[in-house]
Amino acid sequence: MEYKIAILISGNGSNMLNILDACKKGEIKSKVVTVVSNNPDSSGITKAKDFGVNCRVINSDTLKNKNDFENYLSLHLKKFNVNLICLAGFMKILGRKFVKKWNKKIINIHPSLLPAFKGLNTHKRAINMKVKYAGCTIHYVNNKLDSGEILDQEIVKVLDTDNENSLKKKILMKEHKLYIKVLKNLERNNG
Ligand code: GRF
């Protein structure tokens, strides 16, 4: 199946750019039809504009009411016939109603080996716990934070010399590969 993908971001957008590149190179058949940021100052949105993909900022600071934000978002996604939402550093928790409406159509990337280290500051917590292996996970989004069905994971070895930053870099490199792998598998497995 070839998806019409929306990528939702809040920040840097390196996963987003990597997915856009993979589409351009034909590594994945799906198309990114829009990139949405809830943060007008995200550097990712500038990168998306430079890439030439449709971009939209739906500012979650001015739209304080979660329902309003999600209604605008849904309308925008419907307009582009989106059938897969890829969260890539999207720092807002989506509400129950939105998640139900887009059931099994939202996937997220998380920089830990779930179910370990749900939530924020995963790298710091992993370093503090002196874990020997860390990694990243792509999962479906459900009503509980970082708890939906796991699609795939990648592992990195944590060295004694690693710190929060070096671990972040190592995991991010794996994230980029993993997102493309998961998208390819979804395309293949869904016809
Ligand atoms: C990644 O580490 C991702 O796992 C997490 O947020 C970060 C986003 O990085 N959810 P980028 O914006 O794709 O560079």
Side-chain angles (χ1 to χ4, degrees):
M1 167 154 184
E2 293 177 23
Y3 292 99
K4 291 193 168 150
I5 298 175
I7 306 179
L8 272 52
I9 60 166
S10 302
N12 186 37
S14 73
N15 277 289
M16 170 210 73
L17 206 54
N18 190 58
I19 297 170
L20 286 169
D21 277 337
C23 288
K24 196 173 177 180
K25 287 185 202 143
E27 281 173 37
I28 50 180
K29 289 180 261 161
S30 299
K31 280 199 174 57
V32 177
V33 290
T34 186
V35 170
V36 180
S37 175
N38 67 311
N39 168 17
D41 301 323
S42 64
S43 56
I45 206 78
T46 311
K47 291 173 192 161
K49 273 184 196 150
D50 290 347
F51 195 92
V53 65
N54 172 275
C55 312
R56 171 87 191 267
V57 172
I58 304 177
N59 190 335
S60 56
D61 277 345
T62 49
L63 282 170
K64 290 241 186 287
N65 182 320
K66 203 184 184 89
N67 273 337
D68 287 349
F69 173 81
E70 290 175 0
N71 288 340
Y72 278 115
L73 180 59
S74 265
L75 278 176
H76 179 72
L77 301 177
K78 288 257 160 69
K79 199 168 96 187
F80 284 86
N81 291 320
V82 167
N83 55 8
L84 184 67
I85 302 172
C86 295
L87 307 186
F90 182 67
M91 301 306 286
K92 233 184 121 56
I93 295 173
L94 294 164
R96 192 173 281 270
K97 213 168 124 195
F98 185 92
V99 170
K100 194 173 170 198
K101 193 190 258 175
W102 296 91
N103 183 36
K104 283 258 177 156
K105 291 193 171 107
I106 315 172
I107 63 175
N108 179 44
I109 187 152
H110 184 75
S112 80
L113 292 174
L114 290 172
F117 304 120
K118 294 175 183 174
L120 297 174
N121 303 318
T122 53
H123 311 93
K124 191 176 181 181
R125 285 152 64 206
I127 291 289
N128 288 345
M129 284 298 289
K130 298 205 182 308
V131 297
K132 305 305 169 210
Y133 293 92
C136 49
T137 304
I138 295 187
H139 62 93
Y140 282 112
V141 171
N142 68 4
N143 283 321
K144 286 192 187 152
L145 183 69
D146 301 326
S147 297
E149 185 188 320
I150 290 174
L151 283 154
D152 210 343
Q153 297 182 300
E154 264 301 335
I155 296 171
V156 305
K157 175 93 184 88
V158 186
L159 306 176
D160 291 343
T161 49
D162 271 321
N163 57 31
E164 193 184 334
N165 260 338
S166 65
L167 183 60
K168 204 174 195 167
K169 275 188 199 150
K170 282 207 258 190
I171 293 179
L172 198 58
M173 279 167 67
K174 295 279 185 182
E175 288 185 33
H176 293 169
K177 293 209 173 97
L178 186 64
Y179 228 135
I180 306 309
K181 182 179 169 207
V182 165
L183 288 172
K184 277 186 188 165
N185 282 339
L186 284 174
E187 285 179 345
R188 200 174 306 128
N189 297 338
N190 294 322

